[in-house]
Amino acid sequence: MDSHTSREGISGILALAVATTGMHTEISSNITEVDIIIAGGETAGCIIASRLAEADPDLSILIIEQGLNNFNVQSVIYPALFERNTMPGSDTALFWKANKSPGQWDEFDSWNTAGWTAGDVLPYLKAETYHGETSNISTHVYQGPVNVSKGTHQAPQAEDAFIEGAIKVGIPEIIDLQSLHSNDGSGPCNFPNLYVLVSNQVVRILFDETKRAIGVEYRAKRNSTEQTKEIRTVAVKKLVIASAGAFGTPLLLKRSRPGNPAVLERARVPVLESLPGVGDEFQDHHFVGYVYRTSLSPNKTLKGIARNDRDRDVEAMISRNDPQLGWNGHDASSKLRPSYSEAAALGPEFQTRWERDFKDAPNCPLMVMGLFNYYFGDPAALPDDAEYATIAPWVAYPYARGHVHITGPGIDDPYDFDPRRLLDEDDIDLKSHVWGYKEQREIARKMDIFRGELASGQPRFPEGSNAAVIEIADGPIFEEIEYSAEDDAAIVHYVRENLGTSRHPLGTCKMAPRGENGVVDPNLNVYGISGLKLADLSVPPQIVAANTYNTALMFGEKAADIIVHELGLAQL
């Protein structure tokens, strides 16, 4: 610490800054050292910051996050406008260019890590005030910090149609699909010592000769409004926590010199600690959306809202706080597994994986799929004024593994990101998509709201095929489809051409034994390094069959608990 700046002085500076303006794009030059630095404002990191601030009001904590202050930004606070965050030019999301729900009980056990079994993490998964129905009260709580409920608007006609369509093909309704055990069914789906620095990037973590983290270098983000891009340094007394996500954390580590020696050598970065697993094992839920014509009315879909077209006056909706803005258009989901005969029909390699990984894990689905009352393309491309919906199946546990690596020592050097989607051995992920397409289409055709299939939103089947697209229908279609080998080839082609991401990246600095390319131990310490923990979605070794947000919440809560006890704050 600077000899002229006391601990109390720093706390006072932080208190004044936060109380005055909240988020900041620069910090006072008087702040040269803090107790805790959190590099990245990922969900888990923010939870850790708040828990530590609660545990010890005298602890000075600095979060450095490259994103903007999104407080009260319309596309962030209104669920109906979520697509705006992913459109070209968005400044509320980070885009990583590639080279050309809580989850399930068995998933956490499969991590094979002491202290991280399903029973161990359940208390941290229950960080909710649950407002839904459930058949398993033991997996929910009703007085937590995160409210879990339906939005301010629903479209029960579509929700019921999807669930009834699934029932018609033999898939039962499950009241609570998020109970950690439910599967093969469908269901309705400010602290004064805390300083948050936004629009700034952590360039690298600094270490002393004993490989202990002693601070970070950071700078204003290149496209920020700040005039200076000079590198600044802030020292740390107790701990650095990297929480920059599945992309940012491995890149930050490698710029800081822990990593795979071969990668670091190519990037002209000297090796501080050999950790070959940094940046490998990238996992993500990949999906394909299939589009259907429906009998829904305009107020039961989100078409036109994100783009402010199709006669939707979004500004007027905001001014009157229209309930539809509090809805994300997604009210129904399924978690599905093929039958034994269906698994066998996908080939001997698929059946081998099925028997090894799924047969004795009945609460692990092969596919998760959801009904979205929305067409994700440009509505001007639709053939008529009907309301269209999308069913999107995604592989719950993809076998393909990608990587994200640095190519040079600087933060502005290009990165090497290859998700390697569909490149797993024996094409298990691709075969899963073929099965998922057929399953969702059978459900869609039996929905009461079904009125046809959008040709551009379906595979292009051969002329005369029994699987040919039916663009206009008067109602549900109950005839079974027999798919030929040529039809399967058309499905494969469509999947390859239209594969998308669910934005659930994970696993690039996995928690595992060091001899298995692990990067952190069960207490989230980086192997061979002291004073540095990782706490974000780069750490889970296996993806979960759900939106990964709840897993991030769990990681934040459990990491905070670990740190509170290690710092001796639990007794304060």
Side-chain angles (χ1 to χ4, degrees):
M1 179 183 294
D2 180 85
S3 60
H4 300 290
T5 307
S6 67
R7 178 191 180 95
E8 292 76 14
I10 288 179
S11 295
I13 293 170
L14 298 183
L16 177 62
V18 173
T20 305
T21 59
M23 304 286 185
H24 305 274
T25 56
E26 60 180 339
I27 60 176
S28 168
S29 59
N30 292 327
I31 301 178
T32 59
E33 185 179 63
V34 295
D35 291 314
I36 305 287
I37 295 175
I38 300 176
E42 201 256 21
T43 298
C46 292
I47 290 174
I48 293 168
S50 64
R51 295 288 175 261
L52 295 181
E54 288 174 333
D56 184 358
D58 291 327
L59 202 67
S60 55
I61 304 164
L62 171 63
I63 299 177
I64 304 177
E65 162 58 32
Q66 67 173 312
L68 302 176
N69 178 6
N70 290 336
F71 182 70
N72 273 344
V73 174
Q74 292 177 354
S75 61
V76 174
I77 63 175
Y78 291 113
L81 303 180
F82 74 94
E83 192 201 4
R84 289 185 177 181
N85 299 297
T86 64
M87 290 180 175
S90 168
D91 58 6
T92 57
L94 298 176
F95 297 90
W96 298 88
K97 185 176 180 181
N99 301 340
K100 189 145 174 98
S101 148
Q104 301 297 105
W105 189 269
D106 287 348
E107 295 166 352
F108 302 105
D109 289 344
S110 74
W111 292 1
N112 296 319
T113 303
W116 293 84
T117 67
D120 293 325
V121 303
L122 180 59
Y124 305 102
L125 284 166
K126 297 194 295 185
E128 62 180 348
T129 296
Y130 187 66
H131 296 276
E133 297 181 71
T134 183
S135 55
N136 193 339
I137 195 171
S138 67
T139 58
H140 295 290
V141 294
Y142 299 87
Q143 294 179 326
V146 179
N147 278 275
V148 178
S149 69
K150 285 183 174 288
T152 55
H153 179 89
Q154 287 90 46
Q157 182 185 2
E159 176 184 325
D160 294 343
F162 181 82
I163 294 171
E164 288 297 324
I167 290 172
K168 290 171 185 176
V169 300
I171 300 168
E173 178 180 4
I174 294 175
I175 296 300
D176 179 11
L177 205 58
Q178 321 303 330
S179 72
L180 295 176
H181 299 283
S182 302
N183 189 30
D184 220 16
S186 300
C189 253
N190 190 21
F191 301 102
N193 55 333
L194 172 59
Y195 196 99
V196 181
L197 181 64
V198 296
S199 299
N200 277 259
Q201 299 168 301
V202 178
V203 177
R204 64 188 181 110
I205 301 165
L206 303 174
F207 300 95
D208 65 16
E209 63 278 1
T210 69
K211 299 184 183 179
R212 178 173 184 82
I214 57 172
V216 301
E217 291 180 345
Y218 70 96
R219 69 169 195 186
K221 193 174 179 182
R222 177 176 291 278
N223 61 352
S224 74
T225 58
E226 297 299 306
Q227 296 300 311
T228 177
K229 299 297 183 293
E230 68 180 80
I231 302 295
R232 297 188 61 184
T233 299
V234 61
V236 70
K237 290 182 63 177
K238 298 180 182 294
L239 184 65
V240 174
I241 304 162
S243 187
F247 293 104
T249 289
L251 297 177
L252 172 60
L253 272 187
K254 280 177 280 199
R255 290 196 304 271
S256 306
R257 298 180 293 144
N260 186 325
V263 173
L264 297 183
E265 182 179 356
R266 288 195 299 270
R268 307 178 306 285
V269 174
V271 178
L272 176 71
E273 185 68 24
S274 174
L275 289 173
V278 176
D280 286 340
E281 299 291 323
F282 172 86
Q283 302 166 59
D284 188 19
H285 289 133
H286 40 72
F287 79 97
V288 180
Y290 304 99
V291 187
Y292 297 93
R293 192 172 184 270
T294 76
S295 60
L296 295 171
S297 57
N299 70 333
K300 295 176 181 176
T301 76
L302 292 180
K303 187 174 70 177
I305 289 182
R307 297 171 184 267
N308 202 18
D309 55 17
R310 304 283 285 197
D311 298 322
R312 299 279 196 157
D313 188 343
V314 175
E315 293 305 318
M317 294 175 72
I318 291 172
S319 67
R320 65 175 182 268
N321 201 24
D322 193 305
Q324 194 171 8
L325 293 175
W327 178 53
N328 68 357
H330 177 37
D331 289 336
S333 293
S334 294
K335 293 181 178 181
L336 303 178
R337 293 159 58 94
S339 66
Y340 187 82
S341 61
E342 288 173 327
L346 291 170
E349 297 88 358
F350 188 95
Q351 188 174 15
T352 297
R353 301 296 203 292
W354 177 260
E355 292 181 354
R356 185 190 71 187
D357 300 332
F358 291 90
K359 180 181 177 182
D360 297 324
N363 66 39
C364 288
L366 179 71
M367 302 291 289
V368 179
M369 61 182 66
L371 173 68
F372 296 84
N373 296 18
Y374 192 72
Y375 170 63
F376 288 92
D378 183 353
L382 294 172
D384 55 31
D385 290 329
E387 298 297 315
Y388 286 78
T390 302
I391 298 182
W394 38 270
V395 177
Y397 310 106
Y399 285 91
R401 295 291 186 270
H403 67 252
V404 55
H405 295 316
I406 60 172
T407 63
I411 192 170
D412 293 322
D413 289 318
Y415 53 83
D416 170 21
F417 170 43
D418 186 353
R420 294 187 57 79
R421 298 186 181 101
L422 303 182
L423 294 179
D424 58 298
E425 185 179 7
D426 298 321
D427 293 330
I428 305 302
D429 291 349
L430 187 58
K431 293 170 183 175
S432 299
H433 273 290
V434 172
W435 180 81
Y437 171 76
K438 295 175 182 179
E439 196 76 1
Q440 63 80 32
R441 193 182 187 196
E442 188 175 5
I443 293 172
R445 285 186 164 206
K446 291 178 171 59
M447 295 190 305
D448 289 342
I449 62 173
F450 177 83
R451 293 298 183 270
E453 299 162 327
L454 182 67
S456 62
Q458 300 286 334
R460 189 179 296 243
F461 296 107
E463 187 174 351
S465 167
N466 184 54
V469 168
I470 298 176
E471 296 189 59
I472 304 292
D474 294 328
I477 298 174
F478 294 95
E479 291 82 3
E480 300 299 322
I481 301 173
E482 291 187 13
Y483 292 90
S484 67
E486 291 78 13
D487 295 330
D488 285 352
I491 298 171
V492 166
H493 180 76
Y494 188 86
V495 169
R496 290 191 182 279
E497 292 294 315
N498 294 277
L499 195 71
T501 171
S502 297
R503 307 178 192 96
H504 299 162
L506 178 150
T508 49
C509 293
K510 72 178 181 179
M511 177 174 56
R514 187 166 186 168
E516 298 175 12
N517 277 345
V519 177
V520 299
D521 67 18
N523 287 322
L524 307 179
N525 301 303
V526 177
Y527 288 118
I529 300 293
S530 61
L532 173 63
K533 291 182 184 286
L534 309 187
D536 57 27
L537 289 180
S538 70
V539 174
Q542 172 68 46
I543 204 163
V544 298
N547 185 300
T548 50
Y549 178 60
N550 202 45
T551 302
L553 293 173
M554 178 273 288
F555 255 88
E557 295 288 0
K558 184 167 174 62
D561 200 32
I562 290 171
I563 296 166
V564 163
H565 282 83
E566 287 184 356
L567 295 181
L569 305 181
Q571 292 78 37
L572 295 181

